[in-house]
Amino acid sequence: MRTPRLAGALLSVLALALTATGCGGGDESPAATGKPKASVAADRIEPLAATPEPGLPATVRSADGKSVTVSAADRIVPLSGGLSEIVFTLGLGKQVVARDITATFEQARALPVVTRGHDVSAESVLSLKPTLVLADSTTGPAEAIAQIRAAGIPLVVVKAPKSLADVRTRIDAVAGALGVKAAGDQLNTRTAQRIAAVQKNIPKPAEGKQPRVAFLYLRGSASVYLIGGAESGAASLLEAAGAVDAGKESGLAKDFTPITAEALAKAAPDALLVMTDGLKSVGGIDGLVKIPGVAQTPAGMDRRVVSVDDGVLLNYGPRTDRVLRSLVEQLYPGGR
């Protein structure tokens, strides 16, 4: 399991990196061939056609075990980019009054930032007089969450995502808290259909060999270079794209492990999956292959790198089909 300390450290580093890069997803992402590719998510979300009317009050079970009654949803504060994405896609974006720094999609950019990854400001949240606050189970610090609840604000915690199966449960949780279950069902159906359509068209791998992909978490400005293991959150996505998570398969059981030449040699990836801003932080592909051990892997020798925007890669939400499509297109160039 991911330890709270490491999870918090990763979120804090990501928040700092997003601050330094202006919060936006990159306009370029290198394809498997090493050439620039247009951003997967177009940095926009696609709301449902009809705006739902919340059926409130609603009493729901928060992921931290508390029973929470939501009486109004006219001033919503989601404390993560993934939760913001779900609220906006359900059609209730106009009721959102603030955002986390990782909510980088176009419709949310004008909103004030009240949290940066794992660093929630209770005072900033409360100053906006929210009627509902949504948090991930990794959101913190705990003191800030407690302070918001102590002020009498309904706060619903949603389990942080780790796999493709979490897409449905997270949409259900948010839709339930907002009193728009029917819209949640509609969004789940749409999302599942789109994911299935992408998977239906995954090309067969050359010679029947599934590509081995290592997920690397990179923050060059903070000298953070990690390789993802079984608990990184990337395994389910890679497997859905017809690939093998090389870190998980090589025996890395934790979420992240510092990159070493030995770990990379054992993983022997054919391709490297990185976040767009992480790749920029090390100087692009030229800088990436200078990290010890990378150039000696099959992926490094072929300069085969797959990148997806930081703000969407591991959200496991309404845009997961687009993430999956980008992975497939970059892993199997010319395969369609």
Side-chain angles (χ1 to χ4, degrees):
M1 295 292 292
R2 177 178 299 180
T3 64
R5 179 177 297 179
L6 180 54
L10 288 178
L11 286 169
S12 297
V13 170
L14 175 57
L16 287 171
L18 285 169
T19 302
T21 55
C23 304
D27 293 328
E28 294 182 346
S29 66
T33 58
K35 297 179 180 179
K37 181 179 177 64
S39 172
V40 49
D43 225 11
R44 287 185 59 83
I45 55 90
E46 180 187 350
L48 295 174
T51 301
E53 184 65 34
L56 299 172
T59 299
V60 297
R61 178 67 62 177
S62 179
D64 59 356
K66 299 183 182 297
S67 179
V68 181
T69 297
V70 181
S71 299
D74 55 322
R75 296 185 65 80
I76 307 166
V77 177
L79 297 179
S80 77
L83 293 174
S84 289
E85 180 181 334
I86 296 173
V87 175
F88 272 83
T89 310
L90 285 169
L92 297 175
K94 290 183 178 180
Q95 283 92 304
V96 177
V97 296
R99 69 179 177 97
D100 178 79
I101 198 169
T102 59
T104 58
F105 54 90
E106 182 178 307
Q107 293 96 322
R109 283 181 189 158
L111 294 170
V113 175
V114 295
T115 172
R116 297 173 181 272
H118 205 63
D119 186 18
V120 174
S121 168
E123 292 79 9
S124 295
V125 172
L126 293 173
S127 71
L128 293 165
K129 303 185 185 306
T131 54
L132 172 64
V133 174
L134 297 168
D136 276 330
S137 54
T138 55
T139 301
E143 294 79 9
I145 300 302
Q147 186 176 342
I148 294 169
R149 278 193 166 136
I153 307 300
L155 187 150
V156 177
V157 177
V158 180
K159 184 180 178 181
K162 275 297 189 73
S163 72
L164 209 60
D166 292 327
V167 173
R168 172 171 290 277
T169 57
R170 282 172 62 80
I171 290 174
D172 281 343
V174 174
L178 295 173
V180 292
K181 182 182 182 302
D185 293 341
Q186 182 183 349
L187 181 55
N188 269 321
T189 298
R190 187 184 85 175
T191 305
Q193 289 174 342
R194 291 180 175 183
I195 290 173
V198 175
Q199 290 187 288
K200 183 179 179 181
N201 292 308
I202 294 176
K204 292 183 179 179
E207 301 177 357
K209 179 187 175 185
Q210 291 178 290
R212 295 173 58 85
V213 184
F215 174 40
L216 303 186
Y217 186 91
L218 310 170
R219 286 297 176 257
S221 58
S223 298
V224 174
Y225 310 106
L226 306 173
I227 179 171
E231 295 295 322
S232 74
S236 179
L237 196 60
L238 290 170
E239 291 161 5
V244 173
D245 185 323
K248 174 184 174 181
E249 198 273 340
S250 69
L252 297 177
K254 298 192 302 180
D255 45 9
F256 291 95
T257 301
I259 291 175
T260 64
E262 293 77 14
L264 285 171
K266 188 174 182 181
D270 302 309
L272 301 172
L273 171 63
V274 297
M275 293 180 178
T276 303
D277 286 341
L279 184 62
K280 289 180 180 178
S281 77
V282 298
I285 296 179
D286 288 340
L288 176 60
V289 296
K290 293 178 183 177
I291 295 174
V294 170
Q296 287 70 49
T297 65
M301 288 185 277
D302 293 338
R303 297 170 65 87
R304 195 173 182 203
V305 178
V306 174
S307 80
V308 178
D309 290 351
D310 302 46
V312 70
L313 176 58
L314 297 179
N315 279 357
Y316 287 112
R319 290 190 290 175
T320 294
D321 66 293
R322 288 190 243 178
V323 175
L324 192 58
R325 181 178 297 109
S326 178
L327 290 180
V328 170
E329 290 175 350
Q330 295 183 70
L331 284 173
Y332 311 96
R336 288 180 177 272

